[in-house]
Amino acid sequence: MIKVSVLYPNTAGCKFDMHYYVNQHMPMVQQKLGAACKRMAVEEGIAGGAPGAPPTYVAMGHLYFDSTYAFQTAFAPHAQAIMADIPNYTNTQPTIQISEVKM
Amino acid sequence: MIKVSVLYPNTAGCKFDMHYYVNQHMPMVQQKLGAACKRMAVEEGIAGGAPGAPPTYVAMGHLYFDSTYAFQTAFAPHAQAIMADIPNYTNTQPTIQISEVKM
């Protein structure tokens, strides 16, 4: 199983509409990716590790697939539509990471 | 539900013993945190978002709790022992983030 994480940095002046992200963007992504996307998760950053420290990421979205190939095959035909929706909920540039689920 | 993410940066010369992390460190953490820790997850970074790009994080560990208070109460008595084990599997300095699970 692989996990595609989309990490939205908590930069100065960043905006993130969590309501839109959870209720509009992610359901649209799930609908476009179909059964290849096995699971989704969303988190809102609330703090860093040190007392009073801000979170590194204002939000994180995660998509799970059987393999990187399954992700690429499902994502490619819809990449443009999915990316075009990003300005509707944030002005940040997300960092994307693909990971292998170990536990 | 909150999620404590421990993100290990993929810095030059970094080492990470995933076998030790999954089989020794995380089970020790679960044992020390007890029932307050509802769930754990571990991932190994395999790629970035752009073709051929390296992952931002070599590994990520996640711990789920009912609240930040539940995490702090469970973690504080064992913080020293847990932190002291880090050099046994990595030479990186992890970034810690606390997030609220939204989806």
Side-chain angles (χ1 to χ4, degrees):
Chain A
M1 179 79 72
I2 66 112
K3 176 184 178 184
V4 178
S5 296
V6 187
L7 311 172
Y8 297 89
N10 186 20
T11 49
C14 75
K15 292 172 189 175
F16 195 93
D17 184 341
M18 182 58 76
H19 187 267
Y20 184 93
Y21 189 63
V22 167
N23 295 289
Q24 300 287 330
H25 181 76
M26 292 298 265
M28 179 271 283
V29 170
Q30 176 70 74
Q31 188 268 325
K32 288 197 182 300
L33 298 179
C37 182
K38 301 296 182 188
R39 189 160 75 85
M40 310 182 107
V42 169
E43 296 113 32
E44 181 172 3
I46 53 178
T56 302
Y57 299 105
V58 67
M60 300 193 272
H62 312 281
L63 308 173
Y64 294 79
F65 299 84
D66 280 338
S67 66
T68 300
Y69 178 77
F71 158 60
Q72 289 167 338
T73 305
F75 186 72
H78 305 288
Q80 199 174 350
I82 291 171
M83 305 296 264
D85 191 44
I86 296 180
N88 290 328
Y89 59 86
T90 190
N91 58 355
T92 66
Q93 287 288 328
T95 294
I96 295 170
Q97 162 142 356
I98 302 175
S99 306
E100 189 181 328
V101 174
K102 304 295 279 189
M103 182 179 182
Chain B
M1 179 78 73
I2 65 111
K3 176 184 178 185
V4 179
S5 295
V6 187
L7 311 172
Y8 298 88
N10 185 21
T11 49
C14 75
K15 292 171 189 175
F16 195 93
D17 184 340
M18 182 57 75
H19 188 267
Y20 183 94
Y21 189 64
V22 166
N23 294 288
Q24 301 288 328
H25 181 77
M26 291 299 266
M28 179 271 282
V29 170
Q30 176 71 73
Q31 188 271 322
K32 289 197 183 297
L33 298 179
C37 180
K38 302 297 183 188
R39 188 160 76 87
M40 310 183 108
V42 170
E43 296 114 31
E44 181 174 4
I46 54 177
T56 302
Y57 299 104
V58 66
M60 302 192 271
H62 311 282
L63 309 172
Y64 294 80
F65 299 84
D66 281 339
S67 66
T68 300
Y69 178 77
F71 159 60
Q72 289 167 339
T73 306
F75 186 72
H78 306 289
Q80 202 174 348
I82 291 171
M83 305 295 265
D85 191 44
I86 295 180
N88 290 329
Y89 60 86
T90 190
N91 58 354
T92 66
Q93 289 287 329
T95 294
I96 294 169
Q97 162 143 353
I98 303 174
S99 306
E100 188 182 330
V101 175
K102 305 295 281 189
M103 182 180 181

